[in-house]
């Protein structure tokens, strides 16, 4: 870190102001996600000065925010610092102290597509939120990486550029960070957008990239997160069958759009909750401020129709806890209430997040307490509560909402479902993904025959791992020469449905930092970094860029 001389002089005089440049670094990383941490560690290990400018107080994003039931896909593609993270998790759970609420041998170790504990590879893929956060903090502390928390980019005038090069970013507190290279590792892509980089939001039409699973997907019912999973059709009207009575809450009156058409709507958000059924560590579900039981009238009809899958995504993590995700036609996903989040002001985003929290806490409280809930469902829900030893500074509620997608960069290379499915050779591979193309529901609407239905939930296999191009991580030439984007990558909506997994973000965080270091050392723009040289460096670091063909 190089502190500017004028700042040193004013420090001596005691006259510093936050409007002055804070410091100059080789690499400035905006964000506190898992990608931000791996990028910072890679830059520091490569001998560069680096700072994390994080709007978050807690590091790790979703990986430490409740998503402990890792979406791994084929774990053979996870290498480098990402694999080291899961190795460190494994090391933690080798200690007796890690198993406070459950004997280790009782846990069992079931994971998502892979065993939770891989003893041969010394990795563990399922974990508690506080364990993940501790690992991220260890990485930051061991590498002595400065992290400036609760620092929010001034999105209106905080990005300074000379031509196509960012020279500094300034936060709302007035702190300025100068650097040679910048990495936007946020879920929202705020730095990318403020720097004038082209991006998109929502779903492309099927025709735009010749895809099957993009655009409006009316009539397509994947998974079980739709009303086709209910035995009988459900009326959307307050008085069943009577359109004149008005719609029940949380159903859109707008038509869903034509099949295959583009829109600006995005898949639903939720919180990945950490619950427990251990009475000694259980906090009863609170009644949220603003609780309105009328918001869940549709859920009553679903139960009355015989649906009983409430607990199917209470996925077990160690110590009698869960990573609880959305499941079913009306669950924790708050469908249709996040459309303006990607571009919203910070104030408006806080309102959206608060509304999601009220909805989701209300969903829990409603099932646990409303007399119309089937007795067996209610009794089981009353066995659960928030985990007292998780998210202790936030009322035991996750500090990170699941931003499944927001902005997506539009680069010279856009990853589509064709790259994921057909797997053409990618000459500039800097990492791999393998999880299925997974979009959650986008809207809840009224069908032409007068029933309620969800739309947008897609789950399609990629039929094996695929490569991720370096060109998808950098802006178009001339838009920004010293910015890399490992999270809001250049991809179509449905392709991002696979890429958006936490292990992939960690992989791409390391790869972008490696490229940033090369660009500094060779005096290049990020677009001119040699893919061949970059790949050689990544392989030295344990990254997996291809798998042997069968």
């Amino acid at each position: 870190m190089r502190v500017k001389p004028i700042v040193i002089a004013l420090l001596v005089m005691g006259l510093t102001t936050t409007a002055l440049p804070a410091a100059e670094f080789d690499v400035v990383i905006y964000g506190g996600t898992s990608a931000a941490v791996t990028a910072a560690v890679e830059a520091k290990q490569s001998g560069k000065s680096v700072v994390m400018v994080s709007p978050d107080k807690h590091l790790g994003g979703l990986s430490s925010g409740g998503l402990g039931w890792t979406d791994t896909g084929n774990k053979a593609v996870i290498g480098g610092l990402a694999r080291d993270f899961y190795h460190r998790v494994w090391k933690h759970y080798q200690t007796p102290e890690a198993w406070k609420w459950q004997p280790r041998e009782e846990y069992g170790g079931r994971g998502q597509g892979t065993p939770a504990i891989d003893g041969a590879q010394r990795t563990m893929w399922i974990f508690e939120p506080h364990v993940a956060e501790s690992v991220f903090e260890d990485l930051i502390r061991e590498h002595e990486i400065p992290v400036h928390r609760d620092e929010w980019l001034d999105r209106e005038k905080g990005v300074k550029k000379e031509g196509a090069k960012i020279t500094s970013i300034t936060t709302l507190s007035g702190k300025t960070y100068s650097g040679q290279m910048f990495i936007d590792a946020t879920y929202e892509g705020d730095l990318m957008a403020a720097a004038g980089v082209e991006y998109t939001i929502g779903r492309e039409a099927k025709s735009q990239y010749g895809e099957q699973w993009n655009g409006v997907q009316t009539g397509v019912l994947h998974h079980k997160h739709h009303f086709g999973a209910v035995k009988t059709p459900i009326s959307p009207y307050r008085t069943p069958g009577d359109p004149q009575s008005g719609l029940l809450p949380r159903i859109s009156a707008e038509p869903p759009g034509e099949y295959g058409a583009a829109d600006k709507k995005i898949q639903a958000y939720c919180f990945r909750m950490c619950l427990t059924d251990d009475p000694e560590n259980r906090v009863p579900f609170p009644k949220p401020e603003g609780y309105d039981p009328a918001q869940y009238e549709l859920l009553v009809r679903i139960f009355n129709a015989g649906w009983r899958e409430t607990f199917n995504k209470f996925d077990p993590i160690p110590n009698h806890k869960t990573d609880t995700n959305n499941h079913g036609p009306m669950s924790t996903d708050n469908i249709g209430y996040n459309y303006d989040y990607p571009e919203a002001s910070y104030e408006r985003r806080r309102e959206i997040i608060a509304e999601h929290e009220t909805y989701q806490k209300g969903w829990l409280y409603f099932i646990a307490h409303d007399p119309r809930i089937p007795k067996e469902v209610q009794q089981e829900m009353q066995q659960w509560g928030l985990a007292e030893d998780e998210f202790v500074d936030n009322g035991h509620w996750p500090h990170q909402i699941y931003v499944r997608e927001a902005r997506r960069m539009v680069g010279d290379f856009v990853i589509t479902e064709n790259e994921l499915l057909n797997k053409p050779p990618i000459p500039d591979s800097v990492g791999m993904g393998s999880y299925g193309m997974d979009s959650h529901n986008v809207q809840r609407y009224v069908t032409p025959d007068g029933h309620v239905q969800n739309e947008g939930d897609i789950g399609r296999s990629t039929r094996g791992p695929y490569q991720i191009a370096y060109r998808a991580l950098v802006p178009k030439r001339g838009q920004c020469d010293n910015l890399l984007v490992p999270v809001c990558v250049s991809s179509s909506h449905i392709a991002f449905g696979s890429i958006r997994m936490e292990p992939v973000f960690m992989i791409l965080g390391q790869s972008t930092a490696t490229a940033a270091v090369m660009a500094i050392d060779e005096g290049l723009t990020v677009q001119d970094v040699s893919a061949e040289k970059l790949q050689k460096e990544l392989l030295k670091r344990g990254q997996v860029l291809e798998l042997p063909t069968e």
Side-chain angles (χ1 to χ4, degrees), residues 304-325:
N304 287 345
W307 186 83
R308 292 293 185 273
E309 297 183 18
T310 302
F311 306 99
N312 281 24
K313 285 301 292 179
F314 280 43
D315 292 318
I317 63 176
N319 284 306
H320 288 298
K321 299 177 187 177
T322 72
D323 168 356
T324 296
N325 195 13

Side-chain angles (χ1 to χ4, degrees), residues 99 102-109:
W99 299 93
Q102 180 180 32
R104 185 173 186 268
E105 58 273 13
E106 179 190 289
Y107 170 58

Side-chain angles (χ1 to χ4, degrees), residues 6 8 15 42 75 78 114 132 151 184 190 207 213 224 313 324 368 404 494-495 522 541:
I6 188 173
I8 296 175
L15 297 175
E42 175 58 43
K75 64 180 184 296
I78 302 171
T114 184
E151 290 291 344
D184 184 342
D190 284 342
S207 58
W213 302 111
K224 292 185 177 180
K313 285 301 292 179
T324 296
R404 289 189 170 94
I494 193 59
E522 299 181 28
R541 289 154 174 78

Side-chain angles (χ1 to χ4, degrees), residues 428-478:
D428 56 344
S429 170
V430 291
M432 301 189 74
S434 65
Y435 198 79
M437 292 181 286
D438 182 23
S439 171
H440 281 232
N441 279 305
V442 173
Q443 54 188 333
R444 179 177 291 132
Y445 69 103
V446 181
T447 65
D449 53 1
H451 302 139
V452 62
Q453 187 54 274
N454 297 337
E455 183 275 323
D457 190 282
I458 298 295
R460 300 301 296 179
S461 172
T462 61
R463 300 195 293 269
Y466 55 88
Q467 296 174 315
I468 298 172
Y470 175 66
R471 289 164 292 164
L473 310 182
V474 297
K476 291 180 178 179
R477 188 178 299 276

Side-chain angles (χ1 to χ4, degrees), residues 212-213 216-223 226 259 441 445 453-460:
Q212 180 178 0
W213 302 111
V216 176
Q217 295 286 311
T218 45
V220 178
L221 302 178
H222 292 173
H223 299 124
H226 53 75
Y259 174 76
N441 279 305
Y445 69 103
Q453 187 54 274
N454 297 337
E455 183 275 323
D457 190 282
I458 298 295
R460 300 301 296 179

Side-chain angles (χ1 to χ4, degrees), residues 141-215:
R141 183 180 62 258
E142 291 169 14
H143 292 87
E144 299 180 332
I145 295 169
V147 180
H148 295 205
R149 304 172 198 248
D150 200 21
E151 290 291 344
W152 298 78
L153 177 68
D154 183 341
R155 292 156 56 188
E156 297 299 321
K157 56 183 183 296
V159 177
K160 301 301 181 184
K161 294 176 70 176
E162 292 181 358
K165 182 180 180 181
I166 300 174
T167 57
S168 68
I169 63 172
T170 300
T171 60
L172 293 178
S173 71
K175 294 185 176 67
T176 297
Y177 303 86
S178 301
Q180 297 188 62
M181 290 288 153
F182 292 80
I183 296 175
D184 184 342
T186 63
Y187 292 121
E188 294 83 4
D190 284 342
L191 174 55
M192 171 187 73
V197 172
E198 183 180 352
Y199 63 87
T200 189
I201 297 170
R203 298 183 286 190
E204 296 90 352
K206 288 177 56 177
S207 58
Q208 182 167 343
Y209 297 118
E211 298 175 295
Q212 180 178 0
W213 302 111
N214 211 341

